[in-house]
Amino acid sequence: MVEHLPEYIDPLALADKHRRFKGSFPLSKMTRLQDVLLDQAGEVKFELEFGKDGKYAVVTGVVMAELVLQCQCCLGSIPWTVNGPVSLAVVGSIDEADLLPDSYEPLLLEEESIPLSDIVQEELLLAVPSIPQHEKCGVSMAKPSEPAQEAQKRPNPFAVLAKLKK
Ligand SMILES: [Zn+2]
């Protein structure tokens, strides 16, 4: 069951053979993800199955990772769980991508073979926000100079917290 993962793959050939891969990559290998990651430690687990759906070569499976993103507002950490289904169809051009059924994301194949890690990385990029931010981060940053003492009675902070959680 344990097999060596290939560095490069030919998705079309693998689809014909209905190959499956299961494994993990270190997050540090996901170079295009580094901009949004606060912590590169850890790994991304994946299961990918190559097959055919009609005329398309498709890749299905799942990608799982516990990421720590960096909030682009306060530079703090945002825990981000990725546990998403993979549903890619191999296309040779943007035009072909436009014709895909909605259930598939395009996997644009410009070379005969691509790094296996690229598919996993692509899925992670789809799963994280391009500009990660705490949900309420911008709100509190917008008015930083609230007077320390207010004549009005301040609302119970726990009541506010409870509201935020809803
Ligand atoms: Zn923040």
Side-chain angles (χ1 to χ4, degrees):
M1 196 55 204
V2 177
E3 61 177 332
H4 185 68
L5 291 171
E7 184 83 10
Y8 280 82
I9 54 156
D10 173 350
L12 297 178
L14 293 177
D16 281 336
K17 293 179 195 156
H18 292 272
R19 288 290 305 275
R20 301 176 68 130
F21 294 104
K22 185 177 176 176
S24 63
F25 287 122
L27 284 177
S28 54
K29 195 181 170 82
M30 306 286 114
T31 49
R32 285 166 59 207
L33 205 65
Q34 301 310 320
D35 286 349
V36 295
L37 282 186
L38 183 62
D39 188 353
Q40 299 183 13
E43 57 178 20
V44 48
K45 295 194 176 78
F46 62 88
E47 286 182 50
L48 297 175
E49 181 167 4
F50 294 79
K52 285 288 185 82
D53 182 356
K55 61 175 178 164
Y56 294 109
V58 298
V59 189
T60 54
V62 65
V63 166
M64 291 162 286
E66 297 289 338
L67 304 178
V68 181
L69 305 182
Q70 183 167 44
C71 174
Q72 300 303 297
C73 184
C74 69
L75 304 183
S77 63
I78 307 175
W80 195 273
T81 300
V82 177
N83 190 351
V86 177
S87 189
L88 297 167
V90 178
V91 294
S93 67
I94 301 288
D95 289 345
E96 210 182 326
D98 287 340
L99 300 173
L100 280 181
D102 285 347
S103 48
Y104 291 111
E105 295 285 338
L107 176 63
L108 190 59
L109 194 66
E110 288 168 314
E111 316 268 336
E112 193 173 302
S113 62
I114 55 171
L116 180 61
S117 57
D118 265 19
I119 296 180
V120 176
Q121 178 161 262
E122 202 61 46
E123 281 301 315
L124 285 178
L125 286 168
L126 287 172
V128 302
S130 51
I131 304 175
Q133 264 190 24
H134 291 114
E135 210 175 317
K136 299 288 173 186
C137 200
V139 178
S140 55
M141 294 287 280
K143 34 179 182 172
S145 55
E146 214 174 313
Q149 285 191 330
E150 281 180 329
Q152 230 180 348
K153 190 173 179 286
R154 296 178 62 99
N156 180 336
F158 294 104
V160 173
L161 211 75
K163 252 188 213 169
L164 293 181
K165 280 185 176 170
K166 273 182 194 163

